[in-house]
Amino acid sequence: MKKKIIGVTCAVLMTACASTEQAADTQQSQQGAGGLPQWVMNPYIDDGFASAQCVPYSNNMSIDRQLALANARTDLAQQLETKVAVLDKVFRERTDVSSGVSSGSTFSSVAKQLTQQTLIGTRAERVEFVEIDGKKNLCVLVTMGRDKTLALFDNMLAASERQVQPDTREVLLQQFKGAQAQQELNEEMAR
């Protein structure tokens, strides 16, 4: 009877040790360079836009959170402006090749207002304290998911008052979403 109890106890201890090692491995895989969480180092959301921003903690959670959110929304706006510039270029190239004439506003001229309206509705998906260089920081992850991304794209097309064929729309949409994929690929290659 004692041998069975000792055997079961040893099995339980070995299982507990193994699960602790697995938990440590999982935690390490969720951290990026310098021990920072992966969501801070490489913010990502499928078919959308993401930004993680951190601010030094000042013991005023409300102000720090607002500042981190504002920084993340500004970063999202910059990402969107880059994509809109690419849309303008691609659309001009497509219309120059197919018809030689394009009418309506540029995407850039309508994008700023639509981007600001869209970003007002974004909220933090994640808020955590993260230690950076031995100092406590408040970090936020703000995302704009697939539905908002598609809605923004469609609103830009409508507001530009351009006639866009379905095949051209699909090319523009892929370019709009693809610029983020290219940026992520570049970041991954830089590692």
Side-chain angles (χ1 to χ4, degrees):
M1 183 71 171
K2 277 186 171 182
K3 288 182 182 180
K4 285 184 182 180
I5 292 174
I6 291 174
V8 169
T9 303
C10 287
V12 168
L13 287 174
M14 288 173 54
T15 302
C17 290
S19 67
T20 302
E21 288 175 17
Q22 287 174 346
D25 289 344
T26 300
Q27 185 178 9
Q28 283 180 340
S29 70
Q30 292 175 349
Q31 291 183 345
L36 296 175
Q38 191 64 31
W39 66 269
V40 171
M41 294 301 295
N42 190 24
Y44 177 79
I45 185 170
D46 288 332
D47 287 334
F49 301 93
S51 176
Q53 297 291 316
C54 300
V55 296
Y57 185 59
S58 69
N59 292 323
N60 188 332
M61 179 73 162
S62 179
I63 290 175
D64 293 342
R65 186 175 189 280
Q66 288 176 4
L67 180 58
L69 282 170
N71 290 346
R73 286 184 180 130
T74 299
D75 184 55
L76 283 178
Q78 290 169 347
Q79 290 178 42
L80 291 168
E81 286 174 20
T82 300
K83 294 192 189 331
V84 168
V86 170
L87 277 184
D88 270 337
K89 181 180 179 211
V90 170
F91 188 79
R92 277 194 310 272
E93 289 171 359
R94 297 279 297 186
T95 55
D96 289 347
V97 169
S98 64
S99 68
V101 178
S102 67
S103 62
S105 305
T106 63
F107 293 115
S108 297
S109 65
V110 298
K112 286 188 180 186
Q113 179 182 2
L114 293 172
T115 297
Q116 292 306 318
Q117 290 171 356
T118 302
L119 292 178
I120 288 171
T122 58
R123 63 178 192 83
E125 187 169 307
R126 197 165 181 173
V127 178
E128 290 182 21
F129 288 109
V130 175
E131 190 169 311
I132 301 174
D133 291 332
K135 296 183 179 152
K136 189 176 186 178
N137 284 261
L138 182 67
C139 297
V140 298
L141 174 66
V142 175
T143 61
M144 192 171 89
R146 182 178 194 279
D147 293 339
K148 279 195 176 217
T149 299
L150 289 175
L152 174 63
F153 177 78
D154 288 335
N155 289 339
M156 281 191 299
L157 284 180
S160 72
E161 298 176 352
R162 292 182 178 228
Q163 297 298 320
V164 178
Q165 300 298 319
D167 63 330
T168 303
R169 181 196 180 280
E170 194 58 36
V171 168
L172 292 172
L173 178 59
Q174 292 308 314
Q175 190 69 38
F176 186 67
K177 294 190 312 186
Q180 180 178 2
Q182 182 63 43
Q183 178 185 2
E184 291 167 5
L185 178 62
N186 291 342
E187 289 173 1
E188 192 66 33
M189 290 175 61
R191 289 185 197 192

